[in-house]
Amino acid sequence: MRSAFPQSVLLWSLVFGGLPVAGAAQLETAEATVQTRPLERVLDGRVEAVHEATVSAQTSGRVLEINYDVDDYVEKDAVLLQFRDNDQRARYNAAKANYDEARAEFERVKDIYAKRLVAKSALDKAEARLKSTRAAFEQASEELENTRVRAPYSGIVVKRHVEVGELASVGQPLFTGISLEALRASVDIPQDMVKVVRERQQVRVLLASNDQRSVAAESLRISPYADTQTHTFNVRVNLPEGDHGIYPGMFVKVAFVVDEARRLVVPAQAIVHRSEVTGAYVLDQDGRLQLRQLRIGEQFEDGMVEVLAGLEEGEQVALDPVRATATYKEQWAGERE
């Protein structure tokens, strides 16, 4: 039996209307609900490294070798640079020999003193020499260790200030690096937002503009004064440690919670796209299956999406649009026979 509906009417019904669908009751559905959701204001920010430092020479010497260059990743305590250490090693060896001798002498005098064969002054003299040589040995050890310049933290080398063969002096800059372990987003907010941001302290950084991934701020620091030119307040949004896929210098979106609003939401998996039409399969009270055109808003991280128009609270939407389409086509084919 042929359908009593013209083809154009059936197509319109597929997109905007509905027909009784026998298998529609077997579709898994979810109810459109009104939920209280945060209202955010999104601003542009720039990623910064919390730790940025310049490593300087702690001893004088000629640069023997350089192990890392600009843009290299460096692990914490890795040797960045090696000075020629002939003088420092000679002082270390001499200091160690004096210390070993003083320690042996102290142990010998202590044993003799225990047998009451020497005066207390002899023990005190041996102990004083031991402490003196130990201090000299520790100083020589530190000087020798300073000939190997180590990274204070894991990060990226952004500047190298010396070359192999140069004679460096104490305090001379050697490397400048940034840490990727602790990042923050710096953003300027208008003065009308300062009060609510201070009160709510709810901020998240959007990791990419084409998806909904974000990371909540661990803490934030708000400048106590506004810029005299822009009248904005700088906010530093500190991120938790971890690999978030963002790096210093990148631009990001920063979302500040400024209020709360009641919104109509449905699961994002129920949304279907047909050419330029965005909608969802809706089951009405009569069991009619419709592909209802919707105007959607923000998509949330918990898998829900806001519906701005085209749907009412309590209506049921199909969670599997592919199966809903197949069910509709089977019914349509049956009506045309």
Side-chain angles (χ1 to χ4, degrees), residues 273-288:
H273 300 278
R274 295 288 184 268
S275 185
E276 297 181 357
V277 177
T278 299
Y281 282 100
V282 183
L283 285 175
D284 62 18
Q285 295 180 350
D286 299 327
R288 293 159 55 90

Side-chain angles (χ1 to χ4, degrees), residues 40 65 80 163 180 263 287 313:
E40 296 177 322
E65 62 181 37
L80 299 170
E163 299 289 344
L180 300 182
R263 306 187 189 185
E313 182 181 6

Side-chain angles (χ1 to χ4, degrees), residues 30-35 262-266 285 292 307 310-316:
E31 182 179 343
T33 59
V34 174
Q35 300 178 3
R262 291 178 60 79
R263 306 187 189 185
L264 182 66
V265 296
V266 295
Q285 295 180 350
R292 186 87 58 78
V307 178
L311 199 64
E312 294 183 359
E313 182 181 6
E315 289 191 295
Q316 299 289 326

Side-chain angles (χ1 to χ4, degrees), residues 72-326:
D72 286 345
Y73 178 78
V74 182
E75 294 285 352
K76 182 179 180 181
D77 292 330
V79 178
L80 299 170
L81 176 150
Q82 174 71 54
F83 286 114
R84 189 182 300 276
D85 61 359
N86 294 354
D87 294 341
Q88 290 87 350
R89 189 168 295 279
R91 288 194 290 269
Y92 169 83
N93 290 335
K96 185 176 186 302
N98 291 334
Y99 172 61
D100 290 343
E101 181 184 352
R103 183 172 56 181
E105 177 65 14
F106 174 75
E107 294 297 333
R108 188 182 69 82
V109 174
K110 185 171 68 171
D111 290 341
I112 296 175
Y113 175 75
K115 298 176 183 179
R116 301 180 181 275
L117 298 177
V118 295
K120 180 67 165 54
S121 60
L123 179 64
D124 294 340
K125 183 179 179 180
E127 184 178 7
R129 182 169 180 263
L130 176 63
K131 292 179 179 178
S132 176
T133 55
R134 179 191 294 147
F137 173 62
E138 291 175 350
Q139 182 178 357
S141 300
E142 184 176 354
E143 289 179 356
L144 180 61
E145 177 60 27
N146 286 339
T147 62
R148 295 184 292 270
V149 179
R150 300 182 182 274
Y153 46 72
S154 300
I156 301 295
V157 177
V158 296
K159 284 185 181 181
R160 179 166 60 85
H161 305 282
V162 292
E163 299 289 344
V164 172
E166 287 189 21
L167 182 62
S169 58
V170 176
Q172 180 176 336
L174 302 174
F175 288 90
T176 299
I178 59 175
S179 171
L180 300 182
E181 296 176 350
L183 299 176
R184 66 188 177 204
S186 177
V187 57
D188 295 326
I189 65 173
Q191 59 186 22
D192 62 342
M193 287 180 56
V194 174
K195 182 178 179 181
V196 66
V197 170
R198 282 199 177 115
E199 291 175 350
R200 290 184 174 270
Q201 299 277 318
Q202 291 179 276
V203 188
R204 64 190 180 104
V205 175
L206 308 182
L207 301 180
S209 58
N210 58 349
D211 60 32
Q212 297 300 312
R213 294 183 303 120
S214 67
V215 57
E218 185 177 66
S219 63
L220 64 155
R221 296 176 63 88
I222 305 174
S223 175
Y225 56 88
D227 185 275
T228 56
Q229 300 296 324
T230 63
H231 308 293
T232 58
F233 289 77
N234 180 257
V235 180
R236 293 177 176 177
V237 182
N238 296 314
L239 302 178
E241 291 187 3
D243 184 8
H244 306 299
I246 54 177
Y247 302 93
M250 292 178 60
F251 283 103
V252 290
K253 297 291 185 180
V254 183
F256 296 86
V257 175
V258 295
D259 203 351
E260 292 181 345
R262 291 178 60 79
R263 306 187 189 185
L264 182 66
V265 296
V266 295
Q269 66 189 89
I271 302 300
V272 63
H273 300 278
R274 295 288 184 268
S275 185
E276 297 181 357
V277 177
T278 299
Y281 282 100
V282 183
L283 285 175
D284 62 18
Q285 295 180 350
D286 299 327
R288 293 159 55 90
L289 186 64
Q290 305 174 355
L291 178 55
R292 186 87 58 78
Q293 186 177 17
L294 306 178
R295 184 160 62 93
I296 62 175
E298 182 179 356
Q299 183 171 342
F300 303 100
E301 288 188 300
D302 61 356
M304 304 297 284
V305 62
E306 178 185 16
V307 178
L308 301 176
L311 199 64
E312 294 183 359
E313 182 181 6
E315 289 191 295
Q316 299 289 326
V317 294
L319 293 178
D320 188 349
V322 175
R323 185 178 176 187
T325 301

